[in-house]
């Protein structure tokens, strides 16, 4: 059986003999490929079917290099690239430089994939300290599904195939912020597919474009178009350079940074700078995403400064048999690589084409575990502890499970529903004249025949196990009636469709207290020493409402459909098993600072309260809660 062979190589400048980073290395018309690291080195896994193919190396501004693959395995291949500056040539530009960009945008369906493609790619991200040493490093092998480039509104999907990490942040650090961007820069950095602002016709009025000195890429002459905000314009988010093929008007790449206004409008508002560099490569007559380089710096109110670096590299392109990954397989935008439990391992990528880490990064990763082991050994010796277990195997271990564990169990939700009411309605009249007081309440109200009341609620859950959670719900009623209530109980949830988008069966049991009230007016209070049911109500104005207070047991059944790993659409039906319902008169202070206002509740019947419905004395109200309660809402998990 013939196995894949590994090609090691290094790309240098032919004149200066300096390493060339970011050069694109490919075989089989770039179907397989990689890029050089900061030292100019690359490693490329060559399957048997491609070992007779030709090797190409290209970089903007250099002459492309093509040769037959050398016998494998073999020594490191040395490749020298010669500079190839190119003038603009005799290209007729009849309009503004903006016209070149407009023409390139118009030709995206012709130059970029017109059907779905699948990229296999390597992803790396890190957060480096102020002197460039990584505080963490995470790497992954990805499958990236790309819809055709005529659909800029569909970013596609990403599937994480393999992942490893090293977390070198201090274990006792009080604040640990995961800045991890995840693998989605393969989507967010693809400015051609997304029609980034600086190539979006809707924003051309915000940008100024000018033509720079020409250059070449893979033997092609290119336009170098500098772009930035028009004078006096604050709506342009980006500033940088575009590289456009002169012959086909294909976008070959771009490099840009965010303006001050763009940073304020960006999703991560704490960033002080953000830069991107993106390149495309030709395959089968179309230009496909090759590399994305992303760097963000931020100084947040808490914790150390963040120096985030992420890069994506396409290592294989598949234009046939492209199937979008299923829900369970595809990553979500809130997934964070740092939660992986796979430790850093030098042999992890055996047999895979990845991007070599530069020598400085490899040395930093080596030095920091060594320093941690030395510090651990020093502490053990000072305390007299046994140091026999301190050695090469004492590498950093995952700490995610102990960090913010409490917060990871919290989830929240909001819902809208119907609270069941029934009754005949009628004319209400209430009189309350407490003995020995100057306060007198005389109120009337007309109550229409009650029906289900609109209810909104907010739900807090604390997960005990994978299927069981404690639940606290606060509820408010709106419409003809008002009221407040709460529920306290437990909720059970089980996935009915394992292996697919989760559909959960839900069952719950709670104790509920809910008021249903009807206001009867606001009244002057001449008695600043008024006491009602033992509560002092000294405000100048008091409002009054008649209400029922229901206590019940509430069993519920429902369904939950997972929209993303963090958001779930839920629908529940409950049946109120009434324990007791009381009629009450409630008085509330209406003046004074709201945090110091008091309320008092009088249970009916009461000797000081005269209640009449349709002019008939009574101690009950013309509405009563019924049994069925329905709600639909959205639930959010703080940490999936």
């Amino acid at each position: 059986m013939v196995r894949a062979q590994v090609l090691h190589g290094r790309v240098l400048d032919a004149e200066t003999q300096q390493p060339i980073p970011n050069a694109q290395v490919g075989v089989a018309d770039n179907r397989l490929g990689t890029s050089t690291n900061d030292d100019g080195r690359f490693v490329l896994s060559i399957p048997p079917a491609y070992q007779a193919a030709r090797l190409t190396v290209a970089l903007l501004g250099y002459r492309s290099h093509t040769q037959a693959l050398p016998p494998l395995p073999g020594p490191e291949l040395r490749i020298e690239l010669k500079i190839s500056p190119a003038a603009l040539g005799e290209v007729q530009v009849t309009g503004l430089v903006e016209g070149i960009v407009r023409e390139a945008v118009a030709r995206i369906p012709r130059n970029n994939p017109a059907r779905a493609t699948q990229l296999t790619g390597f992803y790396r991200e890190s957060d480096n300290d102020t002197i460039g040493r990584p505080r963490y490093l995470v790497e992954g092998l990805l499958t990236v599904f790309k819809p055709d480039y005529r659909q800029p509104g569909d970013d596609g999907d990403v599937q994480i195939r393999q992942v490893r990490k090293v977390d070198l942040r201090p274990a006792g650090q009080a604040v640990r912020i995961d800045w991890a961007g995840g693998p989605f820069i393969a989507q967010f950095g693809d400015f051609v597919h997304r029609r980034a602002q600086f190539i979006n016709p809707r924003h051309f009025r915000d940008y100024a474009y000018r033509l720079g000195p020409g250059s070449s890429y893979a033997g092609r002459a290119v336009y170098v178009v500098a772009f930035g905000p028009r004078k006096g314009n604050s709506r342009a988010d980006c500033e940088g350079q575009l590289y456009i093929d002169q012959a086909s008007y294909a976008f070959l790449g771009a490099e840009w940074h965010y303006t001050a206004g763009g940073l304020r409008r960006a999703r991560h508002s704490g960033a002080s700078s953000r830069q991107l560099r993106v390149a495309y490569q030709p395959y089968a007559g179309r230009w496909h995403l090759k590399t994305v380089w992303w760097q963000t710096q931020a100084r947040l109110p808490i914790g150390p400064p963040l120096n985030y670096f992420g890069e994506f590299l396409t290592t294989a392109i598949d234009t046939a048999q492209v199937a979008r990954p299923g829900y369970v397989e595809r990553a979500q935008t809130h997934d964070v690589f740092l939660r992986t439990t796979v430790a850093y391992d030098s042999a992890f990528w055996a047999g895979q084409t990845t991007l070599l880490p530069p020598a400085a990064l490899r040395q930093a990763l080596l030095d920091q575990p060594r320093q941690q082991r030395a510090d651990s050994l020093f502490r053990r010796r000072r305390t007299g502890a046994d140091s026999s277990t301190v050695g090469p195997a004492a590498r950093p271990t995952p700490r995610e499970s102990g960090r913010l564990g409490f917060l990871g169990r919290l989830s929240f939700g909001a819902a809208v529903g119907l609270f069941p009411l029934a009754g005949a309605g009628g004319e209400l009249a209430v009189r309350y004249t407490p003995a020995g007081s100057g306060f007198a309440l005389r109120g009337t109200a007309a109550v229409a025949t009650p029906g289900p009341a609109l209810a909104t609620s907010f739900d807090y859950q604390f997960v005990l196990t994978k299927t069981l959670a404690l639940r606290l719900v606060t509820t408010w009623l709106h419409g003809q009636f008002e009221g407040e209530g709460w529920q306290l109980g437990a909720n059970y949830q089980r996935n009915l469709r394992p292996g697919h988008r989760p559909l959960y069966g839900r069952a719950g049991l709670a104790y509920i207290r809910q008021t249903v009230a009807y206001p009867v007016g606001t009244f002057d209070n001449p008695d600043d020493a008024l006491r009602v049911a033992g509560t002092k109500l000294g405000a100048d104005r008091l409002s009054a409402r008649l209400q029922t207070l229901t206590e019940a047991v509430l069993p519920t059944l429902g369904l939950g459909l997972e929209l993303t790993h963090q958001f779930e659409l839920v629908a529940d039906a409950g049946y109120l098993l009434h324990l007791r319902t009381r009629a009450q008169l409630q008085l509330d202070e209406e003046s004074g600072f709201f945090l110091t206002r008091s309320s008092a509740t009088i249970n009916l019947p009461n000797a000081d309260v005269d209640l009449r419905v349709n002019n008939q004395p009574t101690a009950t109200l013309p509405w009563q809660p019924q049994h069925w309660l329905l709600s639909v809402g959205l639930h959010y998990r703080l940490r999936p």
Side-chain angles (χ1 to χ4, degrees):
M1 176 180 178
V2 181
R3 296 184 177 181
Q5 299 290 340
V6 176
L7 171 65
H8 297 263
R10 194 177 194 195
V11 181
L12 304 173
D13 186 293
E15 182 177 346
T16 65
Q17 297 299 299
Q18 294 298 307
I20 298 178
N22 305 312
Q24 296 188 7
V25 182
V27 297
D29 192 25
N30 291 316
R31 184 167 194 158
L32 305 178
T34 185
S35 293
T36 56
N37 66 6
D38 290 348
D39 307 316
R41 286 190 160 86
F42 68 89
V43 171
L44 187 58
S45 179
I46 311 293
Y50 297 100
Q51 289 178 12
R54 297 185 66 81
L55 175 73
T56 60
V57 181
L59 183 65
L60 188 71
Y62 287 87
R63 296 179 187 174
S64 59
H65 172 91
T66 303
Q67 71 169 79
L69 283 170
L72 300 173
E76 184 178 74
L77 180 65
R78 181 185 177 95
I79 299 171
E80 297 184 356
L81 297 185
K82 296 180 180 180
I83 293 177
S84 177
L88 286 178
E90 298 300 324
V91 179
Q92 297 297 318
V93 182
T94 56
L96 299 174
V97 181
E98 181 183 306
I100 298 175
V101 181
R102 286 184 179 273
E103 182 64 19
V105 174
R107 295 198 190 188
I108 288 175
R110 187 187 313 176
N111 290 321
N112 296 94
R115 62 179 184 177
T117 57
Q118 180 175 287
L119 308 179
T120 299
F122 176 76
Y123 176 76
R124 174 185 292 145
E125 70 174 34
S126 65
D127 173 25
N128 303 322
D129 62 20
T130 54
I131 61 175
R133 294 178 305 185
R135 286 182 281 225
Y136 73 79
L137 178 71
V138 186
E139 297 174 331
L141 183 68
L142 314 176
T143 298
V144 179
F145 174 87
K146 285 278 183 187
D148 76 70
Y149 277 64
R150 295 170 298 179
Q151 302 180 41
D154 183 355
D155 281 333
D157 293 303
V158 173
Q159 184 177 358
I160 302 172
R161 311 304 293 256
Q162 290 178 250
V163 62
R164 70 176 180 182
K165 77 170 182 180
V166 58
D167 194 343
L168 300 168
R169 296 172 295 180
Q173 184 174 313
V175 178
R176 296 168 58 81
I177 297 175
D178 290 347
W179 186 256
F184 295 93
I185 61 173
Q187 297 171 335
F188 302 149
D190 190 349
F191 71 92
V192 177
H193 193 285
R194 298 198 107 202
R195 308 300 196 271
Q197 192 186 70
F198 50 84
I199 66 166
N200 192 320
R202 291 181 299 177
H203 295 279
F204 280 159
R205 65 182 182 275
D206 301 326
Y207 284 88
Y209 301 89
R210 65 182 186 278
L211 208 57
S215 187
S216 67
Y217 173 75
R220 296 173 171 87
V222 301
Y223 294 114
V224 181
V225 178
F227 60 87
R230 289 187 187 270
K231 187 176 181 179
N233 186 288
S234 61
R235 295 184 299 275
D237 289 347
C238 306
E239 184 174 11
Q241 285 186 325
L242 284 165
Y243 301 98
I244 301 173
D245 180 42
Q246 287 189 22
S248 65
Y249 285 86
F251 288 107
L252 308 189
E255 52 192 21
W256 71 94
H257 65 269
Y258 277 70
T259 62
L263 288 172
R264 288 194 300 270
R265 289 184 288 270
R267 195 166 52 167
H268 301 295
S269 58
S272 57
S273 71
R274 178 172 296 146
Q275 303 173 64
L276 289 93
R277 185 170 64 242
V278 179
Y280 297 82
Q281 66 175 353
Y283 171 68
R286 302 280 177 164
W287 289 83
H288 300 258
L289 181 70
K290 177 63 177 181
T291 59
V292 178
W293 179 93
W294 185 310
Q295 183 170 295
T296 299
Q297 295 181 333
R299 182 173 289 278
L300 302 181
I302 54 176
L306 295 172
N307 300 285
Y308 169 79
F309 170 75
E311 56 188 332
F312 171 80
L313 165 70
T314 297
T315 59
I317 300 172
D318 188 358
T319 58
Q321 298 180 352
V322 176
R324 199 161 190 155
Y327 174 83
V328 175
E329 291 79 21
R330 65 178 183 254
Q332 304 286 327
T333 53
H334 297 283
D335 290 345
V336 176
F337 266 26
L338 279 182
R339 296 178 192 156
T340 179
T341 58
V342 180
Y344 202 85
D345 176 4
S346 60
F348 191 75
W349 298 121
Q352 298 286 355
T353 292
T354 61
L355 181 63
L356 282 178
L361 176 57
R362 292 199 302 270
Q363 187 63 42
L365 290 171
L366 182 64
D367 288 345
Q368 292 200 43
R370 282 176 175 171
Q371 186 61 49
Q372 284 189 340
R373 290 195 293 270
D375 291 344
S376 176
L377 179 60
F378 177 71
R379 287 193 297 269
R380 286 171 178 263
R381 284 178 174 171
R382 290 194 61 181
T383 59
D386 179 16
S387 61
S388 61
T389 59
V390 180
R395 64 176 64 220
T397 56
R399 298 185 292 265
E400 182 66 29
S401 60
R403 190 185 336 141
L404 298 179
F406 177 81
L407 292 179
R409 291 176 174 267
L410 291 178
S411 61
F412 312 92
V416 61
L418 296 175
F419 189 85
L421 293 174
E427 296 291 332
L428 287 178
V430 59
R431 178 181 300 176
Y432 175 52
T433 53
S437 169
F439 175 74
L441 181 157
R442 293 178 177 83
T444 59
V447 179
T449 301
L454 177 67
T456 57
S457 61
F458 202 81
D459 186 346
Y460 310 81
Q461 292 193 28
F462 182 79
V463 176
L464 298 176
T465 69
K466 188 176 181 179
T467 58
L468 188 64
L470 295 178
R471 187 180 186 201
L472 173 65
V473 182
T474 55
T475 305
W476 297 267
L477 302 186
H478 312 273
Q480 178 181 202
F481 297 94
E482 60 187 38
E484 307 83 30
W486 54 265
Q487 304 171 28
L488 181 62
N491 195 65
Y492 175 82
Q493 183 165 286
R494 183 179 181 85
N495 187 6
L496 303 178
R497 296 197 309 170
H500 302 277
R501 180 187 294 272
L503 177 66
Y504 295 102
R506 295 161 53 87
L509 185 66
Y511 169 77
I512 180 174
R513 285 172 59 95
Q514 179 69 46
T515 61
V516 181
Y518 198 95
V520 292
T522 303
F523 307 91
D524 292 329
N525 176 27
D527 188 350
D528 59 5
L530 176 65
R531 285 193 169 273
V532 176
T535 301
K536 182 179 178 181
L537 302 178
D540 295 336
R541 299 277 290 172
L542 300 179
S543 62
R545 66 182 197 176
L546 291 166
Q547 65 185 29
T548 57
L549 171 63
T550 297
E551 298 176 68
V553 174
L554 177 63
T556 58
L557 290 175
L559 293 173
L561 177 65
E562 188 169 294
L563 304 178
T564 72
H565 288 345
Q566 288 191 292
F567 286 96
E568 180 183 341
L569 181 67
V570 297
D572 291 305
Y575 189 84
L576 290 169
L577 300 173
H578 297 161
L579 299 178
R580 62 173 177 170
T581 297
R582 294 194 297 262
Q584 297 176 326
L585 172 66
Q586 179 169 304
L587 301 179
D588 300 290
E589 292 185 325
E590 290 296 308
S591 55
F593 187 56
F594 73 94
L595 289 179
T596 63
R597 296 179 188 175
S598 298
S599 299
T601 302
I602 305 170
N603 292 323
L604 303 179
N606 183 279
D608 294 331
V609 178
D610 179 27
L611 173 64
R612 294 175 179 265
V613 175
N614 296 328
N615 207 30
Q616 298 297 316
T618 183
T620 62
L621 295 170
W623 65 84
Q624 292 293 323
Q626 299 301 295
H627 296 288
W628 288 104
L629 190 152
L630 304 174
S631 68
V632 176
L634 196 63
H635 209 73
Y636 172 76
R637 303 180 187 93
L638 190 62
R639 286 197 162 198

